[in-house]
Amino acid sequence: QLNVVESGGGLVQPGGSLRLSCAASGFTLDYYVVGWFRQAPGREREAVSCISINNDETYYAESVKGRFTISRDNAKHLVYLQMNSLKPEDTAVYYCAANQLTTVQTMCVPTYTPFGSWGRGTQVTVSP
């Protein structure tokens, strides 16, 4: 089971920014495709953004294009999701996942299921 830990969520006003971090336990994210997903109350989980192992390919959901940026810090073995111009509809629990045996296109789909189970996630609330 690949254990990942999400952090960086919080309460922010519309138009504000947050940076989420994804860290791994027992392995390094440097050699994995990593994706960010979110789930709002009463809604299905959706794929937000994914990044390839070599950073040469990324995916963004249409709803976050131009506002969110996924990136890696291999020195710290972290994957970030920089979220700018946040909207109330971005409110959700955000999860990350890591997988070596996939591609960005295969991972960043609503039906993606990680090995084992999802982590605890980090709550993002966008409200005045």
Side-chain angles (χ1 to χ4, degrees), residues 63-83:
S63 58
V64 308
K65 277 184 180 178
R67 300 188 297 121
F68 290 12
T69 303
I70 191 170
S71 63
R72 294 180 183 272
D73 183 339
N74 286 348
K76 297 182 178 179
H77 309 302
L78 297 174
V79 172
Y80 300 117
L81 185 67
Q82 178 67 44
M83 306 187 297

Side-chain angles (χ1 to χ4, degrees), residues 18 20 34-40 43-51 58-71 79-84 86 89-97 104 107-112 118 122 124:
L18 284 173
L20 306 184
V34 177
W36 284 98
F37 300 78
R38 68 185 180 186
Q39 188 167 21
R43 300 188 64 177
E44 297 292 322
R45 183 175 282 116
E46 65 172 326
V48 176
S49 182
C50 293
I51 187 167
T58 56
Y59 165 90
Y60 294 96
E62 284 296 325
S63 58
V64 308
K65 277 184 180 178
R67 300 188 297 121
F68 290 12
T69 303
I70 191 170
S71 63
V79 172
Y80 300 117
L81 185 67
Q82 178 67 44
M83 306 187 297
N84 299 328
L86 282 162
E89 51 263 44
D90 295 317
T91 295
V93 178
Y94 284 70
Y95 304 87
C96 68
V104 166
M107 188 178 202
C108 250
V109 295
T111 54
Y112 177 78
W118 291 97
T122 186
V124 172

